Every structure is written in structure tokens, then in C-alpha cells.
Amino acid sequence: MSLVLYNDLTRTKEPFVPLKEGHVGFYSCGPTVYDFFHIGNARPFIVFDVLRRYLEYSGYKVTFVQNFTDIEDKMINRANQEGITVKQLADRFIEEYFKDADALGIRRATHNPKATEHIPEIIALIEKLVEKGHAYAADGDVFFDVGSFPSYGVLAKQSLEELQSGARVEINERKRHPLDFSLWKAKKEGEPSWPSPWGEGRPGWHIECSAMSMKYLGETLDIHSGGTDLTFPHHENEVAQAEAATGKPFVRYWIHNGYLLIDKEKMSKSLGNFLTARAALQKYPAKAIRLFMLSAHYRSPINFSEESLNQSLGAVERLENCWSDLEHARKNRKTTSDGSRNEFESLFKEFEDRFITAMDDDFNTAAALGVLFEAVKTVNTYLKETQTLEESFLELAAEFFRKIDSVLGVLGLDAAAGEEDAAEIEALIAERNAARKNKDFKRSDAIRDDLAARGILLEDTPDGTKWKKKA
RNA sequence: GGCGGCAUAGCCAAGUGGUAAGGCAGAGGACUGCAAAUCCUUUAUCCCCAGUUCGAAUCUGGGUGCCGCCUCCA
């Protein structure tokens, strides 16, 4: 059994075999840093972070590269609007990106290259394309010559003619073919620029990903991912640029996530129907947002709504309750350790195998979550129905949850506890229990209500009172 | 015009030939001082029609509806 991925290049599921055994070179298109990213942008960040984690869980060494597009029309426009430099704008929103991405539990990439820091690599790639006759200069601009690259359209699965017939591209007389695209843009007044063999200018959007991905991962990448809207033309162009230059296959597995919709429409900045990740994080814990993203297959569209997020929140609470019950049992219940370890080992081994089977099948996180919840039920039932707990069960269950959560991150076991006020809470609980003993329910309920108002929820169990923070 | 996706219970969502995972919500019950949590029970024949098959949500054909890409966009 091993991972099978849906490859957009072939439009079929294929067994995943990396170029170098045991190692995966993974490039994921990152944000243009002109604004906060929204919850739709967050989908690929979360989903491909989980794929990356799963590859690592599966034993691969993963080099994960995600770029920052820090020079581009939108960057320039926004910087001008705000009266700051493009660099200042980029620095600010890279910082904001990390704040939100970290809060969402997205692990840091191995490399986060910026376009403006790779101008020499970009120019070198363009020069190579010009030399090989795949690009041509025109008044300080350089265009890629799609007519020179017969397999243009591999990802779109359309011929040049077919692509052109539906195209809404602006007429540009300097282009040989309407679909030729900019590799280098001549400087305009008030724009940042760099010297180049074609004069002062700046790189086009598509070229940065080809240049930077190959710099960090070599001429052939194992996985390249992004939103499905990038398939054409961005990724198509990346393929053309890289393969025209190197003559080697650029990417072995192209994977694209489906859109996040809101009111059945694509969430996007231009439509104005977006919710920033930051705003979402104020309303919902990261765990709930992650679980929401993972509750459907990554290639399906998902519809964002308050109701969906609330459902995910409910699900997360179920996971958390199970975990905290487990912890509580470990501290407060009688345990023994006779014999039955093997039985529990195979129980959790089976759950893990099923988790692996789900994830191996084109990264089916929805099915994987199903397995996780079945394990939750098993643990809950065991805790409820067993008088004297077997230590190995508690250990193995905790280990199972930790492992799964190292991939999915929906339990937040990585996050620091931060229970500095624990002592005070414990004291109040003791006071409340004393009141309960004296049947002073007025007093006991008052304490419980006060704590609830602070976001501390109490549960009375046969093994004493348990408390937790509201999710 | 070309390319592609989707349609499963009140909601979200797996499942691609053998008689429908999981979550949320709801109802009933157990437990509780009351709660909370948990457990038990309960809620679907898979958009429609026609085929293939011993057998289809799952394959084929035809409909209907929704959505995306071909332009910046995760």
C-alpha cells in the first residue's frame, strides 16, 4: 500500500513515486503579499500543509517550497495607493502572512523564496529561453513564444487553437501569438525595476515560479500544487518556461485544490465576498477551520458558511472532549497493567492502518477523519464501560491521537497549554464541590456560572470534576 | 465554441459493481442535585429516465439542475 495521487497532467490517479527515493521536492504556489489572505486562500495552505505532513509521516524527507510573489501589478498598485514602497508593502504582508499561517497551524516551509530576491535566476532563465528561440524581446519586454513550444496546452488539455478561440486576451501587436505571455516587463514610470539585458524592468508573474522552484528543487519537481484557478494559464506557462529551457519534465505530479465558495460563488478579492483568515480566526478556533477544510476532499469545492463552521466546531469539541477525558482518566482513574496490551495494540494498529488507507487514496482526509471519529467512539465507550483501566489502552490511545494529529492538526496537541490560572480554578472547583456536598447548590451553581463566563467549563464525572477551556 | 467538475438523510460529507463511513443538528432513553460530557436507540435506497449485469449510488446512454476554466485570481 502506498500513496496514490490524482495527477492533473494525466487526469488519473497514479501511484506516487518520487524522483529520488525517500525524498520529495514539493512546490506550492504562495501568496501575492499585497493584503491579508482570505479564508479561500487559506485552503491550499492548509490542505497542502497536511499533504506535506502526511508525506513526512509516511517516512519521506520533504523539501517544501512556497514562494512569496512580492513584485506584480497588484503589489505596485497597492503600494502606490498607500504611498509606500513595494518592498515596504511586501515586508508588512509577509509578516502578516506568517501571523495568520502560524495561527492556523500551518507549518513553515523549508524555503519561502521571494521573487525580488531571485532576479538573477529569473533573468538567466529568460536568457536561456531567448537563446533557444522560445522567447523574443520587443521594446524592452520579453515574451514567451507559445508557437515554439508544441506541447503548450498539456495541462489545459487543449490545443493552441482551442485555447485561442475562447480566449479573451487583449490584442497586442508586438506579440507573435495572442497567447504569448510576458517573461519580462519593461519599466514604467514609478515602478520598481532591475537592470537586464533588455533594459530596466521587472519579471512577469509566471517566470518566478519556474525559476525559484528549479533553484531549490532541481529541474524536475515531484509535486507542484496550487488552486485550480492556477492550472491555466499560470501552471501551463510554468511548464512551458521550464521545459522549453531544460528539455526535461518539469513536474511529475500536478495537484490542484478546489475552490472555497461562499454563497455558491468563488470567494475572491475581486468579487469582494471574502472573509480574511484573520477575521475567521477571531470567530473560530484554528482547529475548527482546519477540520472544516479537511472535511471534504481537497479537489471538491467546499461552501463556506457560518453553519458549516459551527458544525466543524461541534466536531472539534467532540475530539477535544475525548482527548481530555483520556487525560483525566490517566490522572484520576485506577489502572492496572495485566495482559491485554496485545489486544489494544492491534486495535489501534487497525485504526492507524485505516487512516493510512484513506490518506493513501489521493489524500482522502474526509475518510481519514471518519476513522478518527470511530476511534473516538471506541475510546469513549472503553472509558465509560471499564472499571479498572488497562494502562496500555490509555497509552496506545494517546499515542494514536498524537500520531494522527501530527498530520491533521485538528486536535491542536502541538499547541502549548498555557494554564497559568489552573491553581485558582482548581481552588474554585474545590470550593464548589464543598458547597455541593452541603447541598448549597445556589453557591455551587454560582461558581460554575462565573467560571463559564470566563470560558471555563466544568464537568462532574465519577472521578471528580473536570474543567476545560471553551473552544 | 472548447475543456472540466458536481448532484448521497434536516445540514456537512465519505463511498466508483455486492444490498449506504463519519460529523453536526433533532427525537427517545441511561447517567447527573441540576447541568455538561458520554453511552444506547432512532432518522437515506443515493437528481430523473432508459440500459448493461445474478447484482449499480457506483458502469453505459439520454435528460435536468448547479458550478468552474479558457482574463488577474488559491
Side-chain angles (χ1 to χ4, degrees):
Chain A
M1 234 183 332
S2 61
L3 180 61
V4 169
L5 280 182
Y6 181 87
N7 189 350
D8 268 314
L9 210 49
T10 56
R11 296 201 175 155
T12 53
K13 285 188 192 177
E14 296 175 7
F16 176 70
V17 182
L19 195 60
K20 265 200 293 182
E21 198 183 334
H23 186 273
V24 181
F26 189 163
Y27 187 91
S28 198
C29 280
T32 299
V33 282
Y34 71 107
D35 203 346
F36 295 97
F37 66 89
H38 62 65
I39 195 79
N41 300 318
R43 187 174 187 192
F45 302 154
I46 290 173
V47 136
F48 296 125
D49 170 54
V50 171
L51 176 55
R52 179 245 190 130
R53 292 174 182 225
Y54 182 64
L55 289 165
E56 288 174 350
Y57 163 94
S58 303
Y60 290 106
K61 168 123 178 54
V62 182
T63 305
F64 186 74
V65 180
Q66 186 182 80
N67 67 302
F68 286 118
T69 297
D70 62 347
I71 177 70
E72 199 258 341
D73 289 359
K74 272 186 268 192
M75 294 291 302
I76 295 167
N77 293 339
R78 181 62 62 92
N80 286 156
Q81 261 171 41
E82 312 227 328
I84 56 176
T85 65
V86 169
K87 171 91 169 73
Q88 286 170 323
L89 181 73
D91 287 347
R92 167 160 184 226
F93 283 108
I94 285 172
E95 199 181 316
E96 304 291 9
Y97 167 84
F98 280 125
K99 277 188 203 160
D100 294 335
D102 290 348
L104 285 169
I106 294 162
R107 298 236 310 261
R108 298 272 179 129
T110 318
H111 304 286
N112 284 112
K114 302 172 198 167
T116 58
E117 291 176 1
H118 294 78
I119 301 294
E121 287 86 349
I122 290 170
I123 289 176
L125 184 58
I126 298 175
E127 279 188 303
K128 202 163 173 185
L129 288 168
V130 173
E131 270 166 37
K132 291 197 166 189
H134 289 295
Y136 54 94
D139 309 325
D141 284 338
V142 182
F143 295 105
F144 185 89
D145 181 0
V146 294
S148 76
F149 189 70
S151 59
Y152 193 80
V154 271
L155 267 178
K157 296 281 178 287
Q158 303 216 66
S159 68
L160 221 42
E161 294 70 48
E162 288 166 337
L163 282 166
Q164 197 184 161
S165 71
R168 291 162 285 173
V169 253
E170 60 183 283
I171 306 297
N172 184 335
E173 280 116 31
R174 293 173 309 148
K175 286 185 183 179
R176 293 180 189 166
H177 185 108
L179 290 176
D180 286 354
F181 54 92
S182 300
L183 298 173
W184 188 261
K185 297 183 173 185
K187 176 178 179 163
K188 292 195 199 111
E189 204 39 51
E191 291 187 359
S193 66
W194 291 262
S196 83
W198 315 282
E200 286 279 319
R202 61 182 171 95
W205 175 41
H206 311 296
I207 194 73
E208 66 173 87
C209 285
S210 297
M212 297 191 294
S213 60
M214 290 197 285
K215 171 173 178 180
Y216 292 95
L217 298 169
E219 292 180 337
T220 299
L221 327 182
D222 290 307
I223 300 176
H224 190 134
S225 66
T228 187
D229 45 359
L230 296 185
T231 310
F232 192 92
H234 183 55
H235 289 164
E236 188 72 54
N237 293 350
E238 281 190 52
V239 174
Q241 291 161 341
E243 297 194 353
T246 68
K248 292 180 187 160
F250 176 48
V251 169
R252 294 164 67 78
Y253 301 87
W254 278 103
I255 56 179
H256 294 101
N257 64 277
Y259 295 127
L260 182 136
L261 310 175
I262 182 162
D263 299 326
K264 300 221 168 157
E265 258 190 328
K266 178 182 170 185
M267 179 181 285
S268 74
K269 290 259 166 70
S270 39
L271 289 171
N273 58 354
F274 63 90
L275 177 74
T276 61
R278 184 155 304 180
L281 279 162
Q282 275 162 5
K283 294 187 88 163
Y284 302 96
K287 291 173 271 194
I289 295 172
R290 292 180 69 92
L291 190 134
F292 167 68
M293 297 285 186
L294 299 174
S295 67
H297 187 91
Y298 75 94
R299 281 191 282 116
S300 311
I302 45 173
N303 199 47
F304 176 90
S305 67
E306 298 275 321
E307 192 185 0
S308 301
L309 262 290
N310 282 328
Q311 289 182 5
S312 296
L313 182 58
V316 162
E317 281 170 357
R318 180 167 168 82
L319 293 175
E320 287 180 328
N321 287 332
C322 180
W323 175 257
S324 64
D325 284 350
L326 199 58
E327 292 286 276
H328 193 254
R330 196 138 59 157
K331 287 179 199 148
N332 300 289
R333 296 267 297 266
K334 281 203 181 92
T335 61
T336 116
S337 59
D338 59 6
S340 40
R341 187 179 181 97
N342 288 344
E343 177 194 329
F344 297 130
E345 263 175 4
S346 55
L347 175 70
F348 286 104
K349 172 79 166 54
E350 195 182 318
F351 278 126
E352 194 177 350
D353 285 346
R354 289 176 56 206
F355 169 77
I356 291 169
T357 301
M359 294 294 279
D360 274 350
D361 180 15
D362 193 29
F363 185 37
N364 191 338
T365 52
L369 282 169
V371 176
L372 178 59
F373 279 101
E374 285 185 55
V376 164
K377 173 161 257 174
T378 299
V379 169
N380 284 337
T381 301
Y382 179 83
L383 292 181
K384 183 184 171 68
E385 294 183 349
T386 311
Q387 267 72 43
T388 307
L389 302 174
E390 175 68 26
E391 260 166 41
S392 63
F393 183 96
L394 300 179
E395 253 172 56
L396 291 162
E399 193 187 316
F400 171 79
F401 286 135
R402 281 214 171 80
K403 267 194 202 165
I404 302 306
D405 203 50
S406 75
V407 177
L408 302 180
V410 289
L411 261 164
L413 301 185
D414 291 347
E419 291 172 0
E420 59 290 333
D421 42 5
E424 187 213 340
I425 292 166
E426 304 284 355
L428 284 167
I429 288 173
E431 190 188 333
R432 172 171 170 272
N433 282 334
R436 289 174 71 211
K437 213 166 213 168
N438 298 328
K439 301 220 189 288
D440 181 1
F441 297 122
K442 214 174 204 171
R443 175 69 191 142
S444 68
D445 287 351
I447 293 172
R448 183 168 63 188
D449 291 346
D450 287 348
L451 283 169
R454 289 168 52 184
I456 308 294
L457 305 180
L458 302 189
E459 289 172 22
D460 298 321
T461 78
D463 313 301
T465 300
K466 211 185 109 186
W467 66 275
K468 63 176 180 182
K469 285 199 171 122
K470 207 158 114 192

